[in-house]
Amino acid sequence: MHLPIQNISFDKLNSPLITDKNITLTVARLDKIHPDVSGNKLFKLHYFVEECIHTDHKTMLSFGGAYSNHLVATAYLCKEKNLKAIGIVRGEQPKVLSHTLLKCKEYGMQLKFVSRKMYADTADDNFMQDLKRAFGNFTLVPEGGFALNGARGASLIQNIIAQENASHICTCVGTATTLAGLLMSNKPEQTIVAIPAIKNMTDINDRIALLTGNTKSKELEIFANYHFGGYARYNNELIQFMNDFYRAYNIPTDFIYTAKMMYAVMDQIKKNYFKPSSGIVCLHTGGLQGNLSLPVGTLIF
Ligand SMILES: *Cc1c(COP(=O)(O)O)cnc(C)c1O
């Protein structure tokens, strides 16, 4: 493993809401692996890094927007492994770089901004040829690690949480690569609970099939209605929840992914979705650096 995983803790939530239902709820703190880098991203990148360190070019190239947790994770791992990192960023270069992109640069990533139109065409052969001419050979990592290698990397998370013997493993969903990885390595009696951070994400099963070659819909539960209006949308209720959750359990969440997951799980506990004696493990995938885009003072942590 290329990851500082010794920092991960398993925080059991103690509250009457949970104990009265005779269930357990544990948060697997992948966010503790690194303050700036989403835990699940590091896992998704594992096999790409493995591949890249055995090449001559020792260069990774990937894609993302100005707030991409994936680009920061790529930049960080490349720095750790002495690999060259190139980030292709969606949109024209802004006058002031986002905190996310500044972090990428701090880790030594070379950034190249491309128009949204060009970015939409990253699968285009000409675009790839241009990138090859500009940067030479590289290990290509699709946006969000959305590839078999990304899912294989995410499946390693199962080893980390195996001792928890979860009946349910909950994760938030962006590209569904992490979810696909969990479904590659779950035990048949384990349900994987997916909470999309995106509105109307109707292609989750197709994405899983594309990444892993099969769907295991029997072992998958999707709670589709906790996106709070869509990707990166939030309202007072969500912010209040994040602050209350932090006060009660001392666990910070991010407003794009993990807060929506925890909100969903707590709500479904109230609604008795989880049977007595369920052992729920929620993956805290990180993403905390994204909270920096909220107005100062919004959160108490
Ligand atoms: C990227 C990200 C996700 C989504 O992971 P996918 O594998 O793309 O579904 C979830 N949580 C956090 C914190 C992330 O940064």
Side-chain angles (χ1 to χ4, degrees), residues 38 40-41 44 69 172-178 257 285-287:
S38 297
N40 68 326
K41 300 293 188 287
K44 287 197 285 184
N69 288 332
C172 35
V173 176
T175 62
T177 311
T178 305
Y257 293 106
T285 40

Side-chain angles (χ1 to χ4, degrees), residues 176-193:
T177 311
T178 305
L179 174 62
L182 293 171
L183 283 163
M184 280 169 90
S185 50
N186 68 324
K187 302 195 194 95
E189 67 277 11
Q190 266 173 344
T191 303
I192 311 294
V193 178

